[in-house]
Amino acid sequence: MLFGLPPARQLRAAGGLALAAAGLLVAGAFVNSRAVQQVAAPTEQVPRIDAAARDREQAAEWVARQVSGIIGCDAPVCALLAGHDVEPSRLLPLRGQEEVLNADVVVVTPALAELFGPGLEPVTAPEPLATVGDVRVVQVTPQGVGTFAKALERDKRDRREAGRELLANPRLAATPAATRQLAGGEVDARILVSLAALAASHRLYVRGFEDGGHDPRKVPYRTVEISSVDGTEPTEASVSGIVRFLEAQESRFHPIEAKIARPVDAVSTILRIRYAAPSPTGSLSS
């Protein structure tokens, strides 16, 4: 009862209080809903932000290990690459589309893709060298995509012919998968040249090839794993001459890695020879 008020006024006042209380409940529910949204929204964004940062970090790590030449990148990726000891002279922070042609490779993050839009398509290879989440590592094609595609097709024909010549060499043998890759022209020309030179004085067994793109018909394999040299498991001592020979080659045939390794799926050590991305064209016809 509302003391001090006539009965009719008490009813009206009581009704007003009920409406006010109902209004407070609705408002409270609205405020609580907004509060939940405000608290929940950042929580939902955190995994996406973490995933994007992880993609950039993994892409930068891959580029630092695998790529030679000038690297076009946005500010966050350039900073990550510098943290992976990539020389500052090889980093090209991209602020405008016209700068892309000064790079050999571009790390295309979602931010960079949004900045340039479709402007990258005419000057970058359609098949990425690598993809990490939403980050793509692409080769720059200053000659234009059409001319690049023709050069790549010619290079593939040369690689296919050279690969089949290698398979006819009695001093070189390979697993069935590696045999198909050699015969199909899917192996980098620098590997083919090196294998031909090494097979002149050694018996080799090729375990496999790796480090190609999504489509090895367009991005050739740049790494070869050799599981037997002259009939025995490779060791640091037994392949030291091979490593010295490879490291003495001119820059375009100089590998970024030539060492003994033991893959988790291998029963013995292997000699791994890796060349930098992107793969050049025309090495077998020049």
Side-chain angles (χ1 to χ4, degrees):
M1 176 178 293
L2 299 175
F3 297 100
L5 292 176
R9 293 283 301 277
Q10 288 180 18
L11 288 173
R12 287 197 296 272
L17 286 173
L19 288 174
L24 284 173
L25 288 173
V26 172
F30 178 74
V31 169
N32 288 339
S33 175
R34 287 289 299 275
V36 169
Q37 290 175 4
Q38 290 170 0
V39 171
T43 305
E44 293 170 357
Q45 291 172 3
V46 166
R48 290 198 293 270
I49 294 171
D50 288 347
R54 185 172 61 249
D55 291 346
R56 288 195 300 270
E57 172 60 36
Q58 291 178 355
E61 182 180 355
W62 187 91
V63 170
R65 289 188 296 107
Q66 303 272 1
V67 172
S68 63
I70 305 300
I71 305 163
C73 42
D74 59 19
V77 171
C78 281
L80 289 170
L81 289 169
H84 284 290
D85 298 324
V86 176
E87 303 89 335
S89 60
R90 292 179 52 215
L91 298 178
L92 178 63
L94 296 174
R95 293 175 291 271
Q97 188 172 320
E98 66 281 356
E99 296 174 320
V100 172
L101 291 177
N102 295 323
D104 298 302
V105 166
V106 175
V107 183
V108 184
T109 60
L112 205 60
E114 183 177 354
L115 175 64
F116 292 145
L120 288 175
E121 295 176 6
V123 293
T124 57
E127 184 70 19
L129 300 171
T131 300
V132 181
D134 291 331
V135 180
R136 296 181 302 119
V137 182
V138 297
Q139 181 177 355
V140 177
T141 57
Q143 70 273 48
V145 175
T147 301
F148 173 77
K150 292 177 182 177
L152 190 63
E153 188 57 37
R154 286 194 299 271
D155 191 67
K156 184 183 176 182
R157 288 197 298 268
D158 292 342
R159 286 186 273 119
R160 187 163 50 234
E161 182 178 342
R164 291 172 180 177
E165 287 181 9
L166 271 175
L167 291 171
N169 189 328
R171 301 178 70 86
L172 184 140
T175 62
T179 297
R180 289 193 298 271
Q181 291 159 350
L182 282 167
E186 298 177 3
V187 180
D188 188 290
R190 296 166 295 183
I191 291 179
L192 301 174
V193 171
S194 296
L195 287 177
L198 295 176
S201 52
H202 297 280
R203 288 181 290 110
L204 308 173
Y205 187 80
V206 175
R207 176 178 181 262
F209 301 98
E210 59 179 38
D211 285 332
H214 293 281
D215 187 347
R217 296 170 299 176
K218 298 179 180 178
V219 181
Y221 294 104
R222 295 175 293 100
T223 298
V224 57
E225 294 183 346
I226 300 171
S227 58
S228 175
V229 178
D230 296 323
T232 62
E233 176 182 336
T235 64
E236 297 281 358
S238 68
V239 302
S240 60
I242 290 176
V243 172
R244 286 196 300 272
F245 169 78
L246 293 170
E247 291 181 343
Q249 299 306 304
E250 61 176 291
S251 58
R252 65 172 176 160
F253 288 107
H254 193 287
I256 57 174
E257 181 182 337
K259 67 179 184 181
I260 294 295
R262 184 156 195 158
V264 293
D265 61 338
V267 296
S268 63
T269 58
I270 55 103
L271 171 61
R272 177 181 290 136
I273 304 169
R274 189 193 314 273
Y275 287 89
S279 297
T281 57
S283 297
L284 295 171
S285 56
S286 58

